[in-house]
Amino acid sequence: MLVGSCFHFLYPHIYPPFLSLHNPIPSSLSFCVASSAMDKSSTCTLFLCGKSSAETESAKSLKISNALKLPDGGEVSNLLRSEISNFQFGEEAFDVDLFINSLSTNRFGRFLIWSPRLSSTHDIVSHNFCELPIGAVCVGDVQFKGRGRSNNAWESPRGCLMFSFTLQMEDGKIVPLVQYVVSLAVTEAIKDVCNRNGFPSLDVRIKWPNDLYLKGLKVGGILCTSTYKSKKFNVSSGIGLNVGNVKPTTCLNAVLKELSTTSNEFRREDIMAAFFNKFEMLYDIFINQGFQTLEELYYRTWLHSGQRVIVQEKNEDRFVENVVTIQGLTSSGYLLAIGDDNQVCELHPDGNSFDFFKGLVRRKLE
């Protein structure tokens, strides 16, 4: 039985990683600006790149057919990797060659779309899902209409790593869990980059269901959306991570500077390549063996084991507060908790707040 309560989590795969103008949360990932800053009449330039000759041929085919479109019908200019050198984008532009040369996957990330400025990486992959190879990724240096809740507009500044990619799943029961695999891959990628470069370890942690925290401040977020077509779930997964933009909270490079005496910095390309290298391995385990195989690693990375929360439940005409302790995740991806009365329950978000721990619906488990 569902009981009305007060403890907030949104449905696991629709939480935005960026700050909304209409919901100014201090712990948000990046600055936002008014939607008037968007110039819908400008052309969106997409550079289509492939790691192998097969992906490069796919890029050429998409350019010739001009198949990639924007949701708002705006003009798109599709160019190839070989044409990047015809432009001057500055040192802060995404280094396509560095990313592709650092990639060691068989599927994910091998087809790359890069744009110096675009509305939303998530819109590109979700709107063009059927035109793109599975595992294709879109990354932008600046995006001005990042996907979020309630159709809010977002500004994601330089220094942010913002990318979205495609994957396809058949079992709808595990689709809500894939965001946890994505979150875990991000934290594992950061560890890998630190180890390979001799950086001090950064303790990036997962806040359920899809936020990334460092030193108590939000530095990233995950957005996964899905559609069902031809008996398969087409999943678009987006990641936003503060790599070099210190405001409004902090970023990886700011914390690295505090811990290191050198001038070394994280590069977006290294992190994104490490992400896909890790994600492909974790995703294969997830699909073939189930999420339970990854749970131990996930629980070492998240913030909530043993966390005690208060659930307000309506009992006739009054509210009663009950304390429960988070134990882990249920098979459906919600929070597994136990009350002081030893009653095991599942905690659901009520969907009314950006703060997930301000309103939960408790369902008792037999």
Side-chain angles (χ1 to χ4, degrees):
M1 178 178 68
L2 290 177
V3 183
S5 73
C6 221
F7 187 101
H8 280 30
F9 284 123
L10 297 178
Y11 186 67
H13 55 233
I14 55 172
Y15 184 66
F18 304 110
L19 173 61
S20 161
L21 280 174
H22 306 292
N23 297 278
I25 308 299
S27 63
S28 57
L29 178 61
S30 60
F31 284 122
C32 73
V33 298
S35 58
S36 60
M38 296 185 292
D39 182 7
K40 294 184 179 180
S41 64
S42 63
T43 300
C44 177
T45 302
L46 304 177
F47 289 95
L48 314 180
C49 318
K51 182 171 176 64
S52 71
S53 58
E55 287 105 20
T56 301
E57 287 302 314
S58 296
K60 292 178 180 178
S61 177
L62 283 172
K63 178 184 177 180
I64 293 171
S65 64
N66 198 31
L68 301 185
K69 306 296 182 183
L70 298 179
D72 62 3
E75 186 176 350
V76 179
S77 175
N78 293 316
L79 301 176
L80 299 177
R81 178 182 178 184
S82 58
E83 298 176 272
I84 294 177
S85 59
N86 297 337
F87 301 83
Q88 292 184 344
F89 293 111
E91 294 182 357
E92 293 184 348
F94 189 85
D95 190 329
V96 170
D97 292 339
L98 176 59
F99 165 72
I100 289 181
N101 292 336
S102 302
L103 194 68
S104 60
T105 60
N106 293 317
R107 291 164 292 159
F108 294 103
R110 295 176 64 89
F111 184 91
L112 170 72
I113 303 171
W114 167 61
S115 178
R117 184 176 185 271
L118 78 171
S119 57
S120 163
T121 63
H122 208 83
D123 279 351
I124 295 295
V125 299
S126 59
H127 189 70
N128 298 283
F129 194 100
C130 295
E131 304 295 336
L132 298 171
I134 299 302
V137 57
C138 178
V139 61
D141 289 343
V142 173
Q143 65 176 14
F144 56 82
K145 195 180 178 183
R147 290 286 300 275
R149 207 175 83 172
S150 302
N151 297 316
N152 292 318
W154 315 89
E155 173 75 11
S156 307
R158 294 190 182 277
C160 240
L161 172 59
M162 301 158 291
F163 65 99
S164 301
F165 68 99
T166 65
L167 59 109
Q168 201 167 59
M169 304 175 68
E170 296 182 357
D171 186 355
K173 293 180 181 179
I174 65 172
V175 169
L177 299 174
V178 75
Q179 64 178 335
Y180 306 145
V181 183
V182 174
S183 300
L184 191 55
V186 175
T187 61
E188 289 298 295
I190 295 170
K191 292 177 187 177
D192 181 66
V193 173
C194 287
N195 291 336
R196 285 189 289 106
N197 291 280
F199 294 170
S201 176
L202 298 191
D203 189 24
V204 178
R205 307 296 291 273
I206 298 169
K207 180 180 179 181
W208 188 90
N210 46 20
D211 285 339
L212 301 169
Y213 272 67
L214 177 61
K215 298 186 69 175
L217 298 173
K218 182 177 176 181
V219 294
I222 314 298
L223 171 68
C224 292
T225 60
S226 65
T227 58
Y228 187 69
K229 184 177 182 180
S230 301
K231 298 183 178 181
K232 291 184 178 180
F233 291 88
N234 296 334
V235 180
S236 301
S237 181
I239 294 92
L241 182 66
N242 283 1
V243 177
N245 54 307
V246 67
K247 295 182 178 180
T249 56
T250 190
C251 65
L252 302 188
N253 282 334
V255 176
L256 179 63
K257 186 177 181 180
E258 294 175 2
L259 300 175
S260 177
T261 57
T262 69
S263 59
N264 291 328
E265 291 188 337
F266 288 96
R267 294 179 295 190
R268 293 178 298 152
E269 302 85 353
D270 286 338
I271 293 176
M272 195 168 93
F275 166 81
F276 282 115
N277 294 339
K278 291 293 183 180
F279 177 77
E280 186 163 281
M281 176 190 66
L282 295 172
Y283 182 74
D284 285 344
I285 294 173
F286 169 59
I287 292 299
N288 296 321
Q289 302 177 39
F291 186 75
Q292 65 271 17
T293 311
L294 302 174
E295 280 185 345
E296 182 180 350
L297 178 60
Y298 183 84
Y299 292 147
R300 288 204 304 265
T301 309
W302 83 334
L303 293 168
H304 308 298
S305 294
Q307 180 178 352
R308 289 173 65 80
V309 297
I310 297 175
V311 180
Q312 287 187 340
E313 299 178 328
K314 190 172 183 179
N315 185 359
E316 295 181 351
D317 59 346
R318 63 190 183 92
F319 283 95
V320 177
E321 291 188 346
N322 291 291
V323 177
V324 298
T325 303
I326 297 174
Q327 303 294 305
L329 295 173
T330 66
S331 59
S332 56
Y334 292 107
L335 291 176
L336 178 68
I338 186 170
D340 289 345
D341 57 358
N342 290 323
Q343 174 68 55
V344 178
C345 60
E346 184 179 64
L347 303 180
H348 292 237
D350 70 356
N352 294 325
S353 171
F354 272 81
D355 185 353
F356 291 114
F357 289 92
K358 290 286 179 63
L360 287 179
V361 176
R362 181 171 76 160
R363 184 173 71 89
K364 295 180 180 179
L365 300 177
E366 298 298 334

